[in-house]
């Protein structure tokens, strides 16, 4: 059972890291920053300068510049999962008389996911240019809390419309900026948020379908082997009934690749399901993740309007001041307003 113990420790560490990331995301003062600063101070004097420069270059290249590496990694992981599912799980399911309809669901969702994945990569998220800035400005009013009139982007040399933000990775201002996604190597903004949501939903559905079919296959394998009624002799020579841990260990030894693939798919599903639910919530209230993170604990003292703005913060408006009702918010996501369509206050 040593292997199961190590695997349990691994799962516990991963879940703990996920909890800490979710809890302290968006906070400037967090245990991550404290630990990073401490480790840097301790390790830096013993680390060669060339290694420090190389590590900084790697981090900058991966996360601060546009790179297709995560797209290739995405395709590689997806290909590995479907290869294992097609070569082993599919055959076992057919032996158990599973219908071709149920087995085709992951492949149908894969085609749908690939289509939206491509659109996320290739669709312009809503780049704000000098030519478009004046026509985009009337679409959303300035809330004078997160977005102030007259604030300019020093890089793009233009007055930023409300709900826009400059992306340092893409080096451009994006209208209704949500975030920069390294997995699609593109920003998520006004023009491609719909594709990003559908991409997340299709990935979750695909992972769920593969997980259910694989779990069903393993369950039938256990039932057919009669292990639920089996027993074994322990180290003291006593006969013991085969419990859950014994069955799990047996599955690890009999179907190691399938079990690891199932564990990876389940892990991905729960991570993406939470992330998808978060973005669905933002879509329903007409808020971006950029606005959500900035509005957490944001007080008037943190407002930094441009000198040409009126400088009056006033009482903080409703956090969901851009909400137009459930149907109106969804309509805005899937049919984003054009530059000529002015939004009412």
């Amino acid at each position: 059972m040593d292997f199961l113990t190590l695997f349990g420790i691994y799962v516990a560490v991963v879940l703990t890291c996920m909890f800490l990331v979710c809890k302290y995301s968006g906070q400037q003062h967090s245990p991550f920053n404290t630990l990073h600063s401490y480790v840097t101070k301790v390790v830096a004097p013993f680390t060669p300068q060339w290694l420090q420069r190389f590590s900084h270059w790697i981090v900058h290249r991966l996360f601060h510049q546009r790179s297709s590496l995560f797209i290739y990694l995405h395709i590689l992981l997806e290909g590995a999962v479907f290869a294992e599912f097609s070569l082993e799980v599919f055959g076992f399911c057919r032996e158990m008389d599973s219908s071709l309809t149920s087995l085709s669901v992951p492949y149908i969702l894969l085609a749908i996911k690939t289509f939206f994945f491509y659109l996320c990569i290739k669709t312009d998220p809503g780049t704000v240019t000098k030519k478009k800035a004046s026509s985009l400005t009337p679409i959303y009013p300035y809330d004078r809390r997160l977005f102030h009139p007259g604030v300019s982007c020093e890089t793009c040399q233009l007055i930023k419309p409300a709900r826009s933000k400059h992306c340092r990775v893409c080096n451009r201002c994006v209208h209704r900026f949500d975030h920069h996604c390294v997995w699609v190597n593109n920003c998520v903004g006004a023009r491609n948020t719909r594709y990003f949501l559908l991409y997340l939903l299709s990935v979750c559905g695909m992972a769920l379908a593969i997980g259910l079919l694989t779990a069903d296959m393993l369950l039938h394998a256990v039932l057919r082997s009669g292990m639920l009624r089996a027993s074994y002799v322990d180290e003291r020579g006593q006969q013991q009934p085969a419990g859950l841990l014994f069955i799990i260990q047996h599955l690890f030894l009999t179907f190691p690749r399938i079990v690891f693939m199932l564990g990876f798919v389940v892990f991905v599903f729960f991570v993406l399901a939470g992330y998808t639910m978060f973005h669905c919530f933002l879509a329903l209230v007409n808020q971006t993740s950029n606005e959500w993170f900035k509005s957490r604990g944001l007080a008037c003292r943190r407002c930094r309007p441009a000198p040409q703005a009126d400088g009056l913060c006033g009482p903080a408006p409703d956090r969901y001041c851009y909400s137009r009702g459930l149907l109106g918010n969804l309509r805005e996501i899937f049919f984003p307003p054009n530059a000529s369509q002015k939004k009412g206050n």
Side-chain angles (χ1 to χ4, degrees):
M1 306 304 287
D2 292 339
F3 178 79
L4 286 179
T5 303
L6 293 175
F7 185 76
I9 294 174
Y10 165 75
V11 172
V13 170
V14 170
L15 293 178
T16 302
C17 293
M18 289 171 54
F19 169 78
L20 292 175
V21 169
C22 294
K23 180 176 177 60
Y24 294 105
S25 59
Q27 298 185 14
Q28 293 183 350
H29 304 287
S30 68
F32 298 110
N33 293 334
T34 304
L35 180 63
H36 179 266
S37 301
Y38 176 77
V39 172
T40 302
K41 290 181 181 179
V42 173
V43 176
F46 307 99
T47 306
Q49 290 294 325
W50 68 267
L51 184 58
Q52 294 185 33
R53 290 194 296 268
F54 179 74
S55 61
H56 292 162
W57 179 83
I58 289 293
V59 172
H60 179 76
R61 185 70 181 85
L62 291 178
F63 299 102
H64 298 153
Q65 288 184 349
R66 298 192 70 178
S67 172
S68 300
L69 176 63
F70 285 95
I71 295 179
Y72 299 139
L73 179 60
H74 179 289
I75 297 174
L76 177 64
L77 293 174
E78 192 174 73
V81 169
F82 269 90
E84 181 63 28
F85 179 80
S86 302
L87 295 176
E88 294 201 58
V89 178
F90 192 94
F92 283 121
C93 290
R94 288 299 295 159
E95 292 178 4
M96 297 183 303
D97 297 327
S98 298
S99 66
L100 283 176
T101 302
S102 61
L103 291 175
S104 64
V105 171
Y107 299 98
I108 296 174
L109 291 174
L110 174 63
I112 296 174
K113 189 277 318 176
T114 303
F115 174 70
F116 290 122
F117 184 57
Y118 175 80
L119 291 178
C120 286
I121 296 172
K122 292 298 183 180
T123 303
D124 178 74
T127 304
V128 181
T129 62
K130 291 183 178 181
K131 186 177 181 180
K132 296 180 181 179
S134 58
S135 58
L136 292 174
T137 299
I139 293 181
Y140 297 110
Y142 293 97
D143 64 353
R144 300 181 184 275
R145 182 169 179 258
L146 299 178
F147 307 103
H148 299 269
V151 177
S152 61
C153 175
E154 297 180 357
T155 304
C156 299
Q157 297 295 313
L158 52 82
I159 302 298
K160 295 196 294 185
R163 310 190 77 183
S164 63
K165 185 180 183 297
H166 184 84
C167 176
R168 296 182 179 180
V169 180
C170 294
N171 194 31
R172 59 182 173 183
C173 285
V174 177
H175 195 230
R176 200 185 181 279
F177 177 86
D178 191 278
H179 71 287
H180 180 90
C181 180
V182 295
W183 294 103
V184 300
N185 194 27
N186 198 5
C187 289
V188 177
R191 313 304 300 181
N192 65 348
T193 298
R194 49 186 168 174
Y195 303 136
F196 185 72
L197 281 175
L198 295 172
Y199 159 71
L200 290 178
L201 290 171
S202 58
V203 172
C204 288
M206 185 175 65
L208 180 62
I210 293 177
L212 290 177
L213 289 170
T214 305
D216 181 66
M217 184 275 293
L218 293 176
L219 177 61
H220 277 77
V222 171
L223 294 176
R224 287 188 175 188
S225 65
M227 290 205 59
L228 294 179
R229 299 181 300 273
S231 60
Y232 68 97
V233 178
D234 61 14
E235 62 274 6
R236 293 174 295 184
Q238 297 179 355
Q239 194 171 19
Q240 301 288 344
L244 178 62
L245 293 180
F246 184 87
I247 295 175
I248 293 176
Q249 186 180 36
H250 172 75
L251 291 175
F252 268 114
L253 296 175
T254 309
F255 309 104
R257 292 188 298 273
I258 294 178
V259 173
F260 272 107
M261 185 268 287
L262 176 61
F264 174 75
V265 168
V266 171
F267 173 75
V268 169
F269 170 75
F270 279 107
V271 172
L272 284 182
Y275 189 65
T276 303
M277 291 175 62
F278 173 65
H279 274 278
C280 287
F281 163 76
L282 293 179
L284 294 177
V285 299
N286 201 343
Q287 193 177 42
T288 66
S289 60
N290 173 59
E291 296 163 1
W292 188 84
F293 280 110
K294 284 187 174 182
S295 64
R296 296 176 67 188
L298 186 64
C300 179
R301 59 184 175 83
R302 292 181 61 183
C303 294
R304 290 193 297 269
Q308 60 267 38
D310 55 21
L312 300 176
C313 293
D318 183 10
R319 178 179 294 183
Y320 310 123
C321 61
Y322 292 111
S323 178
R324 299 293 180 265
L326 180 63
L327 295 179
N329 294 337
L330 292 177
R331 187 185 307 112
E332 187 170 300
I333 292 293
F334 290 97
F335 304 98
N338 297 321
S340 59
Q341 293 176 290
K342 180 177 180 179
K343 303 290 291 182
N345 294 339

